[in-house]
Amino acid sequence: MLFTKMHGLGNNYIIFNLLENSLEEQNLQPLAKVVSDVNFGIGSDGMILICSSEIADFRMRIFNADGSEGKNCGNGLRCVAKYLYDHMFAETESFSIETLGGVVKVSIRSDRKNVAHSVTVDMGEPKLIKGMIPMKGEPFSTTINETFSISGKEYQMTCVSMGNPHAIIFVDDVDDVPLEKIGPIIERSELFPERVNVGVVHIKNNEELHYRVWERGSGITMACGTGACAAVVAAALNKKLKKHQPVRVHLPGGDLEIRWDENNHIWKTGAAEYICHGEIQINDSLSRSIV
Ligand SMILES: N[C@H](CCC[C@H](N)C(=O)O)C(=O)O
């Protein structure tokens, strides 16, 4: 099976294009763990399938490194958009992609230096009520800087869904937080029935913030596009940043520009790059591990 490995700010995915591979979509979920596992597969933060859609121009499915299916993936969307445009599946620079978290609109543009494409994605509207995150509690209430005690430690969290769930914690220094310790504890807390992505945020000034993530199903990654959107929403909800202004989000893998617009849509602009193309043989040992 042919694949393309791409990344958005270091958050990297193995992409299988089912528009040109005659692959059975439903049989591929177990492959996510195998291709993500460096010891056995190609090594990545997860796997993405490009599929046909009944309601949009294309459809994207995203699987985390542990094989769980995510409902959205901001960095993955930019990679898929660039791939579809570069490989002429998309005839125009703007098109729509269906995800489990909803349909998003993407637009490709060469960046100012005309060196590499940057991709702008309309990530749609953030969901703020507990029932939509989803998380335990009164389903129509929001979680803004609420204190929760998890495994004996208190965390002040603001929770946002960008089609996938994010718990945001404001800190003085994102690098001074043992995210590899608290991430899995919060991710698997009974507060979140579908688990949660955990992000720590430091507001640098009124136009910039730093963000680090422990991703649901993948652990620490270099960047998280939906998480960066959730971080900007949480900062505005906590009146740490003004709504509607562009915010530069600094992640370990690079920067994203995020804007929460006047129509309640979140816009994300950033790069998407190729890493390699290749072919994976579904031989006996591999097929044994994916059936
Ligand atoms: N781990 C996430 C999916 C990947 C999201 C992230 N890579 C992004 O760029 O948004 C989840 O299970 O919700």
Side-chain angles (χ1 to χ4, degrees), residues 11 13 62 64 70 72-76 164-165 197 215-216 224-226:
N11 185 208
Y13 289 92
I62 180 255
N64 293 304
N72 203 353
C73 180
N75 288 316
N164 59 348
N197 298 285
E215 274 202 32
R216 172 179 67 170
C224 178
T226 50

Side-chain angles (χ1 to χ4, degrees), residues 146-171:
E146 216 173 303
T147 302
F148 296 94
S149 177
I150 302 175
S151 306
K153 202 167 171 328
E154 294 216 327
Y155 300 94
Q156 285 181 302
M157 298 196 287
T158 298
C159 295
V160 177
S161 167
M162 289 305 301
N164 59 348
H166 291 272
I168 301 292
I169 300 169
F170 291 99
V171 297

Side-chain angles (χ1 to χ4, degrees), residues 114-168:
N114 262 324
V115 167
H117 285 138
S118 76
V119 185
T120 296
V121 185
D122 172 359
M123 296 293 288
E125 300 189 48
K127 285 94 183 164
L128 304 177
I129 58 172
K130 286 186 174 65
M132 295 286 282
I133 300 296
M135 69 185 290
K136 284 204 173 145
E138 207 286 312
F140 293 98
S141 68
T142 56
T143 307
I144 300 175
N145 208 30
E146 216 173 303
T147 302
F148 296 94
S149 177
I150 302 175
S151 306
K153 202 167 171 328
E154 294 216 327
Y155 300 94
Q156 285 181 302
M157 298 196 287
T158 298
C159 295
V160 177
S161 167
M162 289 305 301
N164 59 348
H166 291 272
I168 301 292

Side-chain angles (χ1 to χ4, degrees), residues 9 17 21 89 94 98 133 168 207 215 252 272:
L9 310 185
N17 177 5
N21 273 312
F89 286 91
S94 298
E98 177 192 352
I133 300 296
I168 301 292
E207 288 167 351
E215 274 202 32

Side-chain angles (χ1 to χ4, degrees), residues 12-13 40 44 59 66 79 81 100 151 158 168 174 184 204 206 238 250 252 280:
N12 58 91
Y13 289 92
F40 194 95
S44 71
R59 179 162 53 93
D66 67 355
C79 293
L100 284 179
S151 306
T158 298
I168 301 292
V174 296
K204 185 177 176 190
N206 61 11
N238 285 279
H250 301 294
I280 182 167

